[in-house]
Amino acid sequence: MKINFAELNLKELTHIITEELSEKKFRAGQIFKWIHKCGVFEFDKMSDIPKKLRDELSGKYELSLPEIIEKSISEDKMTEKFAYSLKDGEIIEAVKIYDDETLGKYTVCVSTQVGCPIKCAFCQTGKMGFVRNLKTSEIIGQVLKIAAESETGFENLSNVVYMGMGEPLLNYDNVIKSIRLINAEDGLNISMRKITVSTSGVIPGIAKLANEKIPVTLAISLHAPFDSLRAKLVPLNKKYNIEKVIKAAADYIKITSRRVTFEYVMLKDYNDSLEHAKKLAELLRGLICHVNLIPLNQSDIDGNFAPSLNKKIIEFRDYLTDKNINATIRRSKGLDINAACGMLYKKIKSGDSQSL
Ligand code: SAH
Ligand code: SF4
């Protein structure tokens, strides 16, 4: 199988250029920039590379990224959802969210797996089951392809959030490699602080990430302050309960000095009472953290849950704020195109872009 250049960091690329092709080291830097800074994904279009080397590269290596097969734009034009096909016919999605109406800056939300093995009760991706982990090139490729087709270009990419399909910390190595590529100075050059990894509470992954020396923002999907309820919503709680999750968060904060975000999806009559808010405040007491309250995004095929009433969400937030816990309500974007949190869902191997 040919080596895919989109999988490689600069060091690996340099090794191939100097050792396998006996070319000068700077050629690796040129190629890396073409891919990660200029959005050029064909060797033959890398105009400062001599024709002979371009031909050799095209013959011996691959430069393969996911293909955008569909783009949906929300009515307010602030959110765009992209579907990509992968080499084996699987389909994944990423979302581009404009940060601001005037400046053109945007955040990209990427997927890390085809489907997800965690199967949270309210999440559409979970309903797909788990198919496979994404490769590094398939993760970074979602960002590169969006940046390349953007009118506002690579410079306006402001943040990358690992909140699409899948559980990032169950695809640890590929996720970390993609983060380092997104952060690369000769590439997208996004600061680690502007990269968020969201996890349902994979404790070994959180512990590993804490020691990775990359100050990304960690978001933990908590959703409930009682184990019995959380186990129903996030089945992984049976393995890693709330106590363990909070301990892992505290360790993460201690090691990285970074503030952790707790995500809490607001489900009507399930987890939105003042009793829940009280217990949550007790759990988070003393932690440097932020709580993100997410009104449930409801999709057509989900009958069990409803979003909490606005009044309840505000009361919940105010309770936490009164207890000196930083809490905000997340405004959902892209609902009309099913691009909001937990709504990314693709029929496995359907190959039918109409069903998006
Ligand atoms: N698997 C990771 C990251 C992807 S999900 C995780 O669970 O953290 C990103 C966020 O969207 C999570 O906090 C998740 O709980 C939330 N989410 C899932 N389904 C949702 C829905 N229907 N409405 C609102 N948020 C949802
Ligand atoms: Fe997986 Fe996250 Fe959805 Fe849970 S919420 S099923 S962990 S993608």
Side-chain angles (χ1 to χ4, degrees):
M1 226 172 50
K2 287 181 179 174
I3 292 174
N4 181 4
F5 269 35
E7 285 285 325
L8 307 178
N9 58 32
L10 185 55
K11 199 171 157 212
E12 292 162 336
L13 205 68
T14 306
H15 181 83
I16 289 185
I17 293 295
T18 55
E19 303 304 312
E20 286 188 16
L21 297 170
S22 307
E23 289 283 340
K24 293 250 167 54
K25 192 178 161 194
F26 77 96
R27 295 285 177 216
Q30 287 176 315
I31 297 168
F32 191 85
K33 272 191 190 156
W34 279 117
I35 302 171
H36 294 275
K37 213 180 184 89
C38 309
V40 168
F41 309 128
E42 284 169 60
F43 292 122
D44 211 39
K45 292 200 173 137
M46 299 178 178
S47 53
D48 56 4
I49 306 287
K51 175 90 175 94
K52 192 173 147 280
L53 178 55
R54 288 190 329 237
D55 287 346
E56 198 176 359
L57 290 170
S58 305
K60 285 190 181 157
Y61 303 96
E62 233 188 285
L63 182 40
S64 159
L65 292 163
E67 289 290 331
I68 294 176
I69 52 168
E70 193 174 300
K71 173 176 168 180
S72 334
I73 303 174
S74 67
E75 215 164 299
D76 66 4
K77 304 226 172 8
M78 293 297 280
T79 309
E80 295 169 4
K81 183 168 77 167
F82 294 82
Y84 304 79
S85 71
L86 308 180
K87 276 220 152 152
D88 58 358
E90 298 296 349
I91 289 168
I92 52 162
E93 294 177 342
V95 184
K96 176 183 182 187
I97 306 144
Y98 286 97
D99 304 343
D100 184 288
E101 275 166 56
T102 47
L103 297 175
K105 296 253 176 230
Y106 59 89
T107 292
V108 174
C109 172
V110 291
S111 294
T112 55
Q113 298 181 315
V114 182
C116 181
I118 307 290
K119 300 190 169 60
C120 297
F122 47 81
C123 173
Q124 295 312 317
T125 305
K127 299 222 159 47
M128 283 175 68
F130 175 64
V131 182
R132 69 168 173 86
N133 278 333
L134 295 184
K135 296 178 197 165
T136 301
S137 59
E138 292 168 335
I139 302 171
I140 177 100
Q142 297 167 56
V143 186
L144 291 174
K145 283 287 176 85
I146 288 182
E149 73 101 58
S150 280
E151 270 171 36
T152 54
F154 274 56
E155 311 80 61
N156 280 306
L157 173 66
S158 65
N159 296 66
V160 177
V161 297
Y162 286 71
M163 291 191 181
M165 304 162 84
E167 169 49 58
L169 297 184
L170 289 182
N171 185 10
Y172 191 87
D173 292 344
N174 294 346
V175 162
I176 297 296
K177 191 170 182 189
S178 72
I179 289 174
R180 292 190 195 280
L181 282 171
I182 288 167
N183 174 248
E185 222 181 315
D186 288 333
L188 291 159
N189 197 17
I190 302 298
S191 116
M192 287 293 186
R193 281 158 201 275
K194 300 206 156 191
I195 299 174
T196 299
V197 175
S198 176
T199 178
S200 54
V202 178
I203 305 291
I206 297 175
K208 222 168 151 188
L209 187 64
N211 291 300
E212 204 69 57
K213 304 265 177 301
I214 49 172
V216 292
T217 301
L218 175 69
I220 299 179
S221 298
L222 197 61
H223 305 319
F226 300 109
D227 275 322
S228 51
L229 176 60
R230 188 166 190 268
K232 279 184 201 141
L233 300 174
V234 184
L236 188 67
N237 196 77
K238 291 177 199 123
K239 194 165 180 189
Y240 305 121
N241 66 16
I242 294 175
E243 194 190 336
K244 289 181 184 156
V245 170
I246 299 292
K247 167 84 171 58
D251 289 346
Y252 188 89
I253 296 165
K254 212 163 130 196
I255 296 169
T256 62
S257 305
R258 300 278 296 142
R259 182 175 83 163
V260 164
T261 297
F262 288 98
E263 290 160 286
Y264 194 101
V265 61
M266 298 295 292
L267 304 165
K268 186 169 182 273
D269 300 333
Y270 273 88
N271 63 357
D272 61 352
S273 74
L274 279 182
E275 188 203 348
H276 294 104
K278 200 172 156 203
K279 181 68 183 172
L280 183 61
E282 275 170 31
L283 286 173
L284 304 184
R285 194 182 298 144
L287 287 185
I288 305 167
C289 68
H290 174 96
V291 178
N292 221 330
L293 301 172
I294 317 169
L296 175 78
N297 299 318
Q298 228 174 349
S299 73
D300 313 339
I301 50 172
D302 193 15
N304 290 333
F305 299 103
S308 301
L309 298 174
N310 232 342
K311 182 173 155 279
K312 279 266 185 186
I313 302 177
I314 291 167
E315 275 172 19
F316 202 98
R317 182 206 50 202
D318 290 349
Y319 183 89
L320 294 175
T321 315
D322 275 355
K323 298 282 171 205
N324 287 322
I325 293 170
N326 197 312
T328 47
I329 301 168
R330 187 191 288 170
R331 196 166 57 91
S332 276
K333 290 180 173 177
L335 274 176
D336 56 333
I337 52 167
N338 279 1
C341 283
M343 297 181 82
L344 301 184
Y345 172 85
K346 191 67 205 126
K347 267 211 283 190
I348 298 161
K349 290 200 172 170
S350 68
D352 169 18
S353 63
Q354 297 307 309
S355 66
L356 259 176

